[in-house]
């Protein structure tokens, strides 16, 4: 969630206090004792010493200097409204054509230094459309960044800066080992760089939570995320979700503030698991597009179809209620070579039940080109199995991925029925 520049109009100071240290007073006062004393008709503050060191503070200290603010800039003419583009720019923009202006803010995590360069991971949606990117380090110093690579599906991007002023790099933890209920901390710049390196605390609320988002170009993204109740706000995107060992276990990416029904929600933030992050950034660092396997099918959720279509066209028994219907099969793809045909109903992948295209896509994209995938499906009411060899080359894969994402967008927005 990038944050529009200038969203912070001012800071309201609501109160303050002064800490007074008594001279020559080296005694320790328990927190349960009174904290104020009266001396010669004057109220003073006692010198209460509290050991504030904890696993939480140590975790923050370990990683905070690796968390940065990311500011994106766009040329002024790129920010004109559609009306201005059609009928001419307004008078106050005529003299600023081509100038860079702040367009959004987010967060990022420095994770590696190598050969004079430092690499930062952030969200793809933070830097989408940027003509330039500026990084503010925890020290407050600002440096220019280069976009090395982006991936819309995973919503990740890699930036590069000079390592001259970089003092700390973050360590990734194994996200497969996280547990529901485990204490976690979110570090980033909520509401922009004015509140850089803010820390919020919570727990892991759930693992492998299926989240569906839409990219700026309209593609539908389905991914499994870590859910947390640690406060995530606009500007936190791209920041770190860490465990109490100070390891990054996720990259904060989104939150749900309201359900489709209009009901408000609190404490529902989501982070991309670190294991997926590492896999993606290792490819983006090299300037490569992320290679993912494909099936080569257009598909629709079974539960969107009418009872009549399920019975008369698919020949399904009433007990089959969830799955994915193959609407069409592309030529010379893994799906065609595995024998899949139009109107097959996929109900399991590698022995695991699936109920939607999002679940199938998530499992598929977790695999690598060259892997195998076993599909259980129904054809004319009869259950059968096949093994798909995921061996397509990356150039054809990218083209097909775009087609599949466009098809999913259409199906989810219009409930397209393949039998019409």
């Amino acid at each position: 969630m990038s944050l529009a520049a200038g969203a912070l109009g001012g800071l309201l100071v609501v109160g303050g206090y002064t800490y007074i240290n008594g001279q020559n007073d080296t005694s320790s006062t328990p927190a349960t004792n009174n904290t104020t004393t009266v001396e010669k008709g004057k109220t003073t503050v006692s010198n209460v010493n509290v050991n504030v060191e904890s696993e939480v503070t140590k975790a923050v200290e370990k990683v905070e200097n690796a968390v940065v603010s990311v500011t994106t800039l766009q040329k002024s003419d790129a920010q004109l409204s559609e009306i201005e583009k059609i009928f001419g720019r307004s008078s106050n923009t005529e003299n600023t054509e081509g100038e860079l202006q702040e367009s959004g803010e987010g967060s990022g995590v420095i994770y590696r230094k190598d050969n004079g360069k430092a690499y930062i991971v952030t969200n793809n949606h933070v830097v989408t459309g940027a003509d330039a990117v500026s990084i503010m380090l925890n020290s407050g110093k600002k440096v220019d960044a280069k976009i090395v690579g982006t991936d819309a599906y995973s919503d990740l991007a890699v930036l590069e800066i000079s390592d001259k002023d970089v003092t700390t790099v973050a360590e990734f933890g194994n996200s497969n080992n996280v547990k529901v209920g485990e204490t976690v901390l979110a570090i980033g710049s909520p509401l922009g760089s004015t509140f850089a390196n803010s820390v919020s605390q919570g727990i892991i609320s759930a693992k492998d939570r299926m989240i569906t988002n839409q990219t700026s170009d309209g593609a539908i993204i389905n991914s499994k995320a870590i859910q947390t109740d640690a406060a995530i706000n606009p500007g936190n995107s791209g920041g770190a979700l860490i465990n109490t060992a100070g390891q990054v276990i996720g990259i904060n990416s989104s939150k749900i503030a309201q359900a489709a029904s209009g009901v408000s929600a609190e404490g529902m933030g989501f982070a991309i698991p670190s294991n997926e992050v590492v896999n993606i950034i290792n490819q983006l660092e090299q300037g490569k597009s992320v290679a993912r396997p494909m099936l080569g099918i257009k598909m629709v959720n079974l539960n969107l179809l009418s009872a009549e279509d399920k019975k008369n066209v698919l020949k399904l028994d009433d007990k089959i209620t969830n799955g994915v219907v193959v609407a069409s099969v592309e030529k010379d793809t893994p799906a065609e070579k595995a024998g899949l045909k139009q109107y097959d109903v996929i109900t399991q992948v590698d022995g695991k039940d699936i109920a939607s295209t999002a679940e199938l896509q998530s499992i598929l994209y977790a695999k690598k080109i060259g892997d195998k995938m076993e599909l259980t499906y129904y054809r004319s009411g009869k259950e059968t199995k096949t093994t798909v060899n995921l061996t397509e080359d990356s150039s054809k894969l990218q083209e097909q991925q775009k087609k599949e994402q466009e098809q999913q967008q259409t199906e989810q927005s219009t409930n397209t029925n393949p039998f019409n």
Side-chain angles (χ1 to χ4, degrees), residues 129-145:
D131 293 309
V133 180
S134 175
I135 299 299
M136 187 177 81
L137 303 172
N138 191 36
S139 64
K141 183 171 183 177
K142 294 184 178 181
V143 296
D144 293 333

Side-chain angles (χ1 to χ4, degrees), residues 109-125:
V109 181
I110 303 172
Y111 66 89
R112 192 163 75 83
K113 290 172 61 175
D114 183 35
N115 199 25
K117 301 176 181 178
Y119 295 91
I120 299 169
V121 59
T122 186
N123 285 140
N124 175 69
H125 74 257

Side-chain angles (χ1 to χ4, degrees), residues 169-393:
V169 296
E171 172 188 344
F172 288 106
N174 189 338
S175 56
N176 289 339
N177 294 338
V178 301
K179 295 183 178 180
V180 174
E182 175 183 347
T183 297
V184 289
L185 308 164
I187 309 180
S189 305
L191 303 185
S193 56
T194 300
F195 298 104
N197 278 68
S198 292
V199 181
S200 58
Q201 180 176 348
I203 63 170
I204 292 178
S205 304
K207 297 170 58 177
D208 298 329
R209 188 70 83 191
M210 185 65 68
I211 300 298
T212 299
N213 291 315
Q214 189 169 346
T215 65
S216 58
D217 61 2
I220 297 297
I221 307 170
N222 302 293
S223 58
K224 289 186 176 181
I226 296 172
Q227 182 183 335
T228 178
D229 66 346
I232 305 291
N233 290 290
N236 273 118
S237 288
L241 185 70
I242 68 172
N243 58 21
T244 52
Q247 297 173 317
V248 177
I249 57 169
I251 296 298
N252 300 318
S253 62
S254 62
K255 67 180 292 185
I256 294 177
Q258 190 176 69
S261 62
V263 177
S264 296
E266 294 288 345
M268 296 189 68
F270 301 91
I272 305 165
S274 56
N275 288 19
E276 178 180 355
V277 173
V278 170
N279 176 45
I280 299 299
I281 62 179
N282 280 338
Q283 297 178 69
L284 294 181
E285 254 185 48
Q286 308 303 317
K288 299 178 181 177
S289 298
V290 178
R292 295 186 179 91
M294 68 166 183
L295 278 176
I297 64 175
K298 293 181 179 179
M299 49 192 173
V300 65
N301 293 342
L302 177 63
N303 59 17
L304 295 179
L305 306 186
S306 66
E308 182 180 358
D309 283 335
K310 292 177 184 177
K311 180 178 180 180
N312 297 333
V313 179
L314 301 178
K315 312 297 182 184
L316 283 181
D317 189 286
D318 291 341
K319 67 180 182 180
I320 308 300
T321 57
N322 289 313
V324 172
V325 182
V326 177
S328 64
V329 180
E330 299 291 330
K331 186 177 180 181
D332 297 326
T333 59
E336 184 188 58
K337 294 174 182 178
L340 287 179
K341 295 182 178 181
Q342 185 183 43
Y343 301 155
D344 287 345
V345 182
I346 302 170
T347 56
Q348 290 186 341
V349 177
D350 294 334
K352 179 182 178 181
D353 292 341
I354 60 165
S356 66
T357 59
E359 290 184 14
L360 190 154
Q361 184 188 59
S362 179
I363 296 172
L364 175 65
Y365 284 2
K367 293 182 177 293
K368 299 177 182 178
I369 293 177
D371 287 350
K372 298 182 185 296
M373 187 166 70
E374 184 184 72
L375 301 179
T376 300
Y377 63 94
Y378 283 82
R379 178 179 296 167
S380 298
K382 182 179 179 181
E383 184 184 67
T384 187
K385 295 183 180 182
T386 188
T387 299
V388 182
N389 295 307
L390 305 172
T391 57
E392 290 301 298
D393 62 69

